[in-house]
Amino acid sequence: MEDPDLLERSYNAFQCHRGKLREKDLIDIIEEVYKNYRIDETKPFQDALKVYKQTQQKRMAIFDGRFDEDEQEVTRQSKYDTISTIPTCFFENTIILPPQDRKWFEVKVPLWYFMKNKKVYSGLSFCNLKYDNEIGALLEPDESKPNII
């Protein structure tokens, strides 16, 4: 990491913005943490810019889907399975609905979380998790694992 104070600034910014965070709050936090931080002068940014330029030259600005992407071109990988389930807080609402209308209550959760917190009723899968109308599904913390922050 180029800036040794970045982690401390991040921690302090999140301490000042507790509670439910909206998108604007997150943007404000990012602006506060990265104020006067020149990301374009960091080595990782310069390396990424170099790879981007090489990719553009190699691909000739074609942005079609490709099956043979280089490893460096992959931006995000998901290495865990997910499953669609209905939060148990919607049990009463969804059990009486026809199958095609239940999909509006479904959320995707990691398979490991579902296996640990599932409730199956008449072939329907429900999962114990909190649901916030503004944020969405909130997984319950695993007490057997320590918190990162």
Side-chain angles (χ1 to χ4, degrees):
M1 186 169 8
E2 299 287 325
D3 185 349
D5 297 326
L6 188 61
L7 185 60
E8 184 177 344
R9 286 198 313 267
S10 299
Y11 178 80
N12 291 336
F14 276 99
Q15 290 300 312
C16 294
H17 295 86
R18 292 180 178 240
K20 289 184 180 178
L21 297 177
R22 297 169 298 158
E23 184 175 359
K24 183 188 179 329
D25 299 327
L26 294 173
I27 291 170
D28 291 344
I29 290 171
I30 291 168
E31 292 296 329
E32 180 182 331
V33 169
Y34 286 96
K35 184 171 59 174
N36 300 325
Y37 182 75
R38 294 295 312 257
I39 189 119
D40 58 323
E41 295 175 357
T42 64
K43 183 173 178 357
F45 183 88
Q46 292 298 320
D47 292 344
L49 187 59
K50 182 179 175 183
V51 169
Y52 172 78
K53 286 179 181 179
Q54 289 171 349
T55 301
Q56 290 304 300
Q57 186 176 17
K58 181 179 171 184
R59 303 293 184 195
M60 305 281 294
I62 297 173
F63 293 105
D64 292 339
R66 302 173 302 276
F67 292 107
D68 59 344
E69 288 182 325
D70 296 334
E71 187 174 315
Q72 292 176 324
E73 293 175 344
V74 176
T75 58
R76 181 175 293 132
Q77 289 182 317
S78 174
K79 294 192 184 244
Y80 59 89
D81 294 326
T82 60
I83 188 167
S84 290
T85 186
I86 301 170
T88 52
C89 61
F90 296 128
F91 177 83
E92 297 293 330
N93 297 356
T94 57
I95 200 70
I96 59 174
L97 292 175
Q100 67 269 19
D101 293 336
R102 292 182 190 136
K103 67 181 175 189
W104 301 111
F105 293 90
E106 291 181 358
V107 296
K108 285 191 181 224
V109 297
L111 181 60
W112 65 265
Y113 185 86
F114 174 76
M115 296 306 290
K116 194 171 183 179
N117 298 284
K118 68 181 176 181
K119 302 279 185 198
V120 178
Y121 179 80
S122 296
L124 296 174
S125 65
F126 294 89
C127 189
N128 285 336
L129 52 91
K130 292 181 182 178
Y131 190 84
D132 183 290
N133 288 332
E134 292 181 77
I135 299 171
L138 302 167
L139 305 183
E140 296 284 342
D142 188 348
E143 300 301 324
S144 67
K145 296 179 183 175
N147 289 333
I148 296 173
I149 298 178

